[in-house]
Amino acid sequence: MKLVILDYGAGNIQSIIFAVERLGYKAVLTDNVSEILAADKVIFPGVGEASSAMTKLKSSGLDKIIPQLKQPVLGICLGMQLMCNSSEEGNTKGLGIFDIDVRRFSNSVKVPQIGWNQIEGLKTDLFLNTPNNSYIYLVHSFYASLCDETIATSDYDLKYSAALNKDNFYGVQFHPEKSSTIGSVILQNFLERIS
Amino acid sequence: MLTKRIIPCLDIKDGRTVKGVNFVDLRDAGDPVELAAIYAQEGADELVFLDISATEEKRKTLAELVYHVGEKVNIPFTVGGGISSVEDVDILLKNGADKVSINSSAVKRPELINELVAKFGSQCIVVAIDAKRKDNQWKVHLVGGKVPTEIDLFEWAKEVEQRGAGEILFTSMDHDGTKNGFANQALRKLSELVNIPIIASGGAGNMSHFTDTFQNGKADAALAASIFHFKEIGIKELKTELRENGIAVRL
């Protein structure tokens, strides 16, 4: 299987590479369009700030490529948020794959949310062998609201989308690569059960 | 519900763990990678590596260690100790660290916080603050608590938040090593003052100290070293007790 991680200068890719390697796969980090198009699976990583990440995506032309991909794509954290319509962070227009806007948590809770929370309402094969209320690791200040494309929910300040799916596009707000055993189950599902 | 985090801290010198570690089942008690993997397995929520070496090769040795920890460990980990530039942080994150913690370098040049946040994002920048009470005021200390300053803990914490730090790791020098419990009054004040997570550090001696710091100190996470290394408290039993006391933990 050819697995590609999109390279657009987003930080902290190494932990995803390690997690994939622990599952016995090799990932190629690239911004090369033909290599991306030829991949069996694509991971769209991201940490940091939305508007500057979007600027980087645009300068590499990936903003045009990603929405056209036909193979399974998994956006992680900011990657997922950038696949939405827009983000309140830096008033950023997103890729518009998921039909939902990204907002900031209110100040009635500590922002960012950092740590382990639970997911429930799990749908699709991404969550095969994943019990309801499994603990996953998150670090984020912004969230996608609940919508038709929600395939997992979590609760902080309010109930929000912990994961989204539309066609071949999947997005998770949490970090499967850092979410212990259950995180690797979810990553493995993406690699082996989603086609 | 977001859970409270339990964070073992490992002191590292020249790529090896220091301070006694009393794990009978460890093949090599000085190997941080093996120790980290065991803590992850036992249910630690995160790990902190604090590098106290002062050699020329420090940067390279630490980067190698971070790489090997990242390969093995599937929970988040923070690296701190002598980090003073954007370049330092870049190397550590590229090798697989999830977060870095800065301390003295931020006090000496507070703009460093802004620079790191702009480049890497708030989520990976932890500011560690060591403080000690003097004449009823909490004063920030530098260089592992050795050098006093006139800076007020709470003013500094507020500034750190405004500059964009994602978390504060607060160590009370008055409590560190005493095993008499965390500095819950100061922690509570901090937690109410700023709107970013606070990690409590210094003073853990028994399981009830953790309950106290979550309930009375309003801490979001608690860090400890020796009580975990010497197996005085097991992470699973600690979390079980916390849950019995009504505190949300990952079990």
Side-chain angles (χ1 to χ4, degrees), chain A residues 12-62:
Chain A
N12 217 353
I13 310 291
Q14 193 58 48
S15 54
I16 300 177
I17 295 176
F18 284 143
V20 163
E21 283 175 357
R22 284 195 292 267
L23 290 168
Y25 296 92
K26 265 252 156 315
V28 183
L29 182 64
T30 184
D31 60 353
N32 179 291
V33 175
S34 52
E35 208 166 357
I36 295 168
L37 292 175
D40 298 305
K41 299 269 161 76
V42 174
I43 292 180
F44 178 17
V47 290
E49 198 269 334
S51 65
S52 54
M54 200 62 204
T55 306
K56 284 182 197 156
L57 270 188
K58 280 182 180 158
S59 69
S60 61
L62 288 176

Side-chain angles (χ1 to χ4, degrees), chain B residues 33-110:
Chain B
V33 180
E34 202 181 343
L35 193 54
I38 287 180
Y39 278 131
Q41 209 175 1
E42 287 189 342
D45 295 304
E46 281 184 43
L47 298 166
V48 167
F49 294 88
L50 188 61
D51 188 40
I52 56 169
S53 45
T55 54
E56 299 248 330
E57 309 80 44
K58 170 181 173 137
R59 197 189 254 183
K60 190 167 160 267
T61 319
L62 185 60
E64 280 170 11
L65 170 66
V66 165
Y67 187 89
H68 291 304
V69 172
E71 267 182 324
K72 268 263 176 79
V73 172
N74 57 10
I75 60 169
F77 64 97
T78 302
V79 182
I83 296 168
S84 59
S85 69
V86 168
E87 197 196 353
D88 287 343
V89 174
D90 194 43
I91 292 170
L92 295 172
L93 294 181
K94 277 201 178 122
N95 277 282
D98 298 286
K99 310 184 221 180
V100 295
S101 84
I102 52 171
N103 192 333
S104 303
S105 57
V107 176
K108 285 177 197 149
R109 204 172 67 79

Side-chain angles (χ1 to χ4, degrees), chain B residues 49-240:
Chain B
F49 294 88
L50 188 61
D51 188 40
I52 56 169
S53 45
T55 54
E56 299 248 330
E57 309 80 44
K58 170 181 173 137
R59 197 189 254 183
K60 190 167 160 267
T61 319
L62 185 60
E64 280 170 11
L65 170 66
V66 165
Y67 187 89
H68 291 304
V69 172
E71 267 182 324
K72 268 263 176 79
V73 172
N74 57 10
I75 60 169
F77 64 97
T78 302
V79 182
I83 296 168
S84 59
S85 69
V86 168
E87 197 196 353
D88 287 343
V89 174
D90 194 43
I91 292 170
L92 295 172
L93 294 181
K94 277 201 178 122
N95 277 282
D98 298 286
K99 310 184 221 180
V100 295
S101 84
I102 52 171
N103 192 333
S104 303
S105 57
V107 176
K108 285 177 197 149
R109 204 172 67 79
E111 304 77 41
L112 178 64
I113 303 170
N114 305 66
E115 291 165 17
L116 295 177
V117 167
K119 179 136 174 72
F120 307 106
S122 292
Q123 80 291 332
C124 61
I125 306 302
V126 181
V127 174
I129 308 178
D130 299 334
K132 202 179 170 111
R133 215 168 4 189
K134 192 184 142 198
D135 306 328
N136 235 3
Q137 276 193 311
W138 284 92
K139 297 293 187 191
V140 174
H141 282 56
L142 304 181
V143 201
K146 288 188 212 88
V147 180
T149 73
E150 279 308 304
I151 301 167
D152 176 75
L153 162 67
F154 301 102
E155 282 170 26
W156 176 233
K158 197 73 205 164
E159 181 174 343
V160 158
E161 179 190 31
Q162 280 160 357
R163 289 183 181 274
E167 269 180 302
I168 290 173
L169 165 56
F170 165 53
T171 303
S172 162
M173 307 309 300
D174 293 333
H175 295 71
D176 202 27
T178 65
K179 298 197 171 185
N180 285 330
F182 294 91
N184 292 324
Q185 256 188 322
L187 279 161
R188 187 189 186 101
K189 194 172 163 187
L190 267 184
S191 202
E192 286 168 352
L193 179 75
V194 299
N195 204 43
I196 56 177
I198 304 289
I199 305 165
S201 159
N206 60 44
M207 296 205 275
S208 67
H209 292 153
F210 287 86
T211 300
D212 281 350
T213 202
F214 291 133
Q215 286 179 342
N216 302 324
K218 290 198 158 192
D220 299 286
L223 176 144
S226 59
I227 53 154
F228 293 138
H229 302 331
F230 291 105
K231 286 214 158 168
E232 290 166 31
I233 297 181
I235 292 179
K236 272 216 173 79
E237 53 171 332
L238 169 60
K239 289 177 121 182
T240 306

Side-chain angles (χ1 to χ4, degrees), chain A residues 6-7 11 22-23 27 53 55 69 76 85-86 105 123 127-128 132 136 143 146 150 153 158 161 187 195:
Chain A
L6 298 182
D7 182 9
R22 284 195 292 267
L23 290 168
T55 306
L69 292 174
I76 297 177
N85 281 338
S86 72
F105 286 124
K123 293 178 196 159
F127 296 109
L128 280 173
N132 254 322
I136 40 76
Y143 67 93
L146 299 181
T150 303
T153 69
L158 74 180
S161 295
L187 261 187
S195 52

Side-chain angles (χ1 to χ4, degrees), chain A residues 150-162:
Chain A
T150 303
I151 54 166
T153 69
S154 190
D155 207 326
Y156 188 67
D157 192 20
L158 74 180
K159 223 172 202 187
Y160 65 92
S161 295

Side-chain angles (χ1 to χ4, degrees), chain A residues 41-139:
Chain A
K41 299 269 161 76
V42 174
I43 292 180
F44 178 17
V47 290
E49 198 269 334
S51 65
S52 54
M54 200 62 204
T55 306
K56 284 182 197 156
L57 270 188
K58 280 182 180 158
S59 69
S60 61
L62 288 176
D63 62 319
K64 298 277 187 295
I65 304 297
I66 296 167
Q68 294 173 28
L69 292 174
K70 298 287 177 256
Q71 62 275 65
V73 177
L74 179 66
I76 297 177
C77 195
L78 183 61
M80 181 208 87
Q81 295 184 359
L82 295 175
M83 289 158 88
C84 297
N85 281 338
S86 72
S87 173
E88 247 177 35
E89 188 176 27
N91 278 323
T92 308
K93 192 177 176 319
L95 300 177
I97 295 166
F98 301 127
D99 189 16
I100 189 72
D101 298 316
V102 173
R103 301 184 190 288
R104 190 180 188 277
F105 286 124
S106 81
N107 278 333
S108 62
V109 289
K110 290 203 175 178
V111 184
Q113 167 174 229
I114 298 183
W116 298 79
N117 203 329
Q118 290 166 291
I119 44 174
E120 57 180 349
L122 307 178
K123 293 178 196 159
T124 78
D125 286 352
L126 188 63
F127 296 109
L128 280 173
N129 304 315
T130 311
N132 254 322
N133 296 316
S134 290
Y135 290 99
I136 40 76
Y137 182 79
L138 304 129
V139 189

